[in-house]
Amino acid sequence: MNGGLLVAGTTSDAGKSVVTAGICRWLVRQGVKVAPFKAQNMSLNSFVTREGAEIGRAQAMQAQACRIEPTALMNPVLLKPGGEQSSQVVLLGRPVGEMSARGYHGGRQQRLLGTVLDCLTELRGRYDAVICEGAGSPAEINLRRTDIVNMGIARGARLPVLVVGDIDRGGVFASFFGTLALLSPEDQDLVAGFLVNKFRGDVSLLEPGLDMLRGLTGRRTYGVLPYRHGLGIDEEDGLRVSLRGAVRESTVAPPLGEDVLRVAVCAIPLMSNFTDVDALAAEPGVVVRFVDRPEELADADLVVVPGTRGTVRALRWLRERGLADALARRAAEHRPVLGICGGFQILGEHIEDDVESRTGAVPGLGLLPVRVRFAREKTLSRPSGRALGEPVEGYEIHHGVARVTGGEAFLDGCRVGQTWGTHWHGSLESDGFRRAFLREVAAAAGRRFTPAPDTSFAALREEQLDRLGDLIEQHADTDALWRLIESGAPRGLPFIPPGAPA
């Protein structure tokens, strides 16, 4: 078998990442050797592979669904926004520079098509099947000429395409039909059909619409996936959460002790790797919120300043909103604060940035004895060690080089009183370390909170991935999906006018 499939979507956030992971987990449970692939990913949530390459966290999660190690081949192009107009371009796991959207779509992107097709070809030579994820919508008619992630990769590799639509948003039939009708005849030939995501209610009420959609397009619907809470794992973009400032979707089990532990995460601009707090949200009795006002820190037992692609910009934002003063008061009162990566840099005394923001010397919040200088070379590593008497692993992704001048050692950073800082992402996924850290936080906060002794974040992640596999196995036509992956799009699919504009 040398199969493949492109999972596209009617919109961003239609569910492409989790559907791709679900198909991967379903296939691997059938004994298929499978790998994920996303030619180009725009995300501030990234991961470091064992060979030191930076890729999107969604592809790392999908590799876990396949029960394989992630590699740079699975996400050859990663775009990390640094503002409204530009992004850092990461090619095969290494940053190659900043580029404006106009400059990237004006020529650079199209020149990368050969590179991403080579990566896909190499993966297809190693695995029985490769499940590819698109980006945004395949019907972005203004960008089709330079597309390398949706129909561009489908055409280049002759992949069948499954279009996912989020029915919870409404308008799913119009979205399916409109997406197809804005594609060229050559692109439409590869669109095999549709998959409805996040359906609530009685499927029999939906079926007449699915029949009419097939009559209009000549294409079947391969499944209707029901709405399930808590499956938004390793999302690609923190923008929706940071703007919403809402409680992260998670099931909070009752605490083991008498009290819950409240965690407030500062929703700073260009927030990156906010997935660091997932392990906290998985703990029974820990409630995690994203906040953007100083008064929201008042009842928090722990405040987390997360990573960011704009350290100086985030520092300015904290000061403008009064959050910087609130953090300083917490530190003075010995109330727990944790800074991770860019958040760690913000808590320091001094930042010298001629790389990311190009603003030069900027005073930090002065809560930790740390001086940071931004280097042009990015640090990408997978460190491990011990902290609080427990083994701990993490990964580092940063340009800022920290010089620690005091305090007590903590991972690669330091702590002063109850203010902690480190560059290590993912450290809270180490179960023993997380429990030890939460015990310290609870004691400092005066909470009668006890970490659960048997919470395994890795096991919970596996359960989530199995739930995604179950969704596909139970609610998709897996026989038809198997034929699609193995044999490609059906022949003779009708063209739906008007097609793509000339």
Side-chain angles (χ1 to χ4, degrees), residues 10-64:
T10 57
T11 62
S12 295
D13 202 34
K16 296 183 294 292
S17 294
V18 293
V19 167
T20 300
I23 293 173
C24 287
R25 178 50 63 100
W26 162 65
L27 283 172
V28 81
R29 293 195 308 206
Q30 308 307 308
V32 177
K33 190 179 177 185
V34 60
F37 180 79
K38 185 162 185 172
Q40 173 192 293
N41 194 348
M42 178 171 279
S43 178
L44 288 171
N45 285 336
S46 59
F47 182 76
V48 179
T49 67
R50 294 213 176 273
E51 69 266 32
E54 184 179 9
I55 66 172
R57 268 202 72 105
Q59 279 60 66
M61 175 268 291
Q62 290 160 358
Q64 187 176 347

Side-chain angles (χ1 to χ4, degrees), residues 272-286:
S272 63
N273 285 64
F274 65 87
T275 49
D276 282 332
V277 300
D278 282 359
L280 295 178
E283 280 285 345
V286 176

Side-chain angles (χ1 to χ4, degrees), residues 15 18-19 22-23 164-165 167 195-200 203 206 221-228 468 470-477:
V18 293
V19 167
I23 293 173
V164 177
I167 197 170
L195 186 76
V196 176
N197 191 30
K198 297 184 182 178
F199 179 74
R200 305 172 192 250
V203 175
L206 186 67
T221 297
Y222 282 77
V224 178
L225 308 185
Y227 190 98
R228 291 287 186 267
L468 292 178
D470 292 343
L471 276 179
I472 298 299
E473 190 168 330
Q474 296 167 11
H475 300 283
D477 186 337

Side-chain angles (χ1 to χ4, degrees), residues 123-135:
L123 282 176
R124 295 185 82 175
R126 297 181 187 180
Y127 294 91
D128 300 328
V130 178
I131 307 303
C132 307
E133 180 189 343

